[in-house]
Amino acid sequence: QLVESGGGLVQPGGSLRLSCAASRYTYSYSSGCMGWFRQAPGKEREGVASIYIGTRNIQYAESVKGRFTISQDGRENTVLLQMNSVNPEDTAMYYCASSGPVTSRRYCDWDDFVSWGRGTQVTVS
């Protein structure tokens, strides 16, 4: 189970931090991935950031590189997304996601994700 929080209304150039609380079972995969996706109205869902839990190998979408930071807190079973220098194009519903075991490599692919939270809305205006 994945539960997002932290969304809201923010001005352009501002910051927001999203949090995803994962059940202990979801988070226990050292060979799995956690990530953030987003979907804006009328657009397809896109990957934003991912982290391979065991190696902490991180990947970002080009559109958020240098502005967003994904991190994990293993003790709290939490994955965070720090969003800085936001712009109106970042407006979307943001979803936390997790994969099953990923053992063939030590990084994440956007197609690895199979479980989703309900989302938290981020509006930049």
Side-chain angles (χ1 to χ4, degrees):
Q1 183 179 5
L2 303 167
V3 180
E4 304 95 336
S5 62
L9 176 64
V10 59
Q11 293 183 345
S15 297
L16 207 60
R17 189 174 77 167
L18 306 184
S19 179
C20 173
S23 66
R24 188 170 301 276
Y25 177 77
T26 300
Y27 204 78
S28 63
Y29 286 132
S30 61
S31 59
C33 299
M34 297 290 293
W36 288 93
F37 288 70
R38 67 186 182 186
Q39 187 168 19
K43 294 187 177 181
E44 294 186 354
R45 185 171 60 194
E46 62 173 350
V48 174
S50 68
I51 182 167
Y52 190 93
I53 295 175
T55 63
R56 303 202 178 191
N57 188 310
I58 289 173
Q59 297 187 69
Y60 295 102
E62 286 294 328
S63 59
V64 306
K65 279 184 179 179
R67 302 188 298 121
F68 291 10
T69 302
I70 188 172
S71 60
Q72 62 177 110
D73 184 339
R75 182 179 58 187
E76 300 294 334
N77 291 356
T78 299
V79 175
L80 305 174
L81 184 68
Q82 179 67 41
M83 305 168 59
N84 297 330
S85 302
V86 297
N87 57 62
E89 289 69 39
D90 296 318
T91 295
M93 184 71 80
Y94 283 71
Y95 298 91
C96 181
S98 67
S99 74
V102 178
T103 57
S104 60
R105 41 183 158 76
R106 291 294 181 262
Y107 61 91
C108 305
D109 188 277
W110 299 125
D111 292 336
D112 291 331
F113 294 89
V114 296
S115 298
W116 307 87
R118 292 188 174 183
T120 185
Q121 178 67 38
V122 172
T123 302
V124 183
S125 178

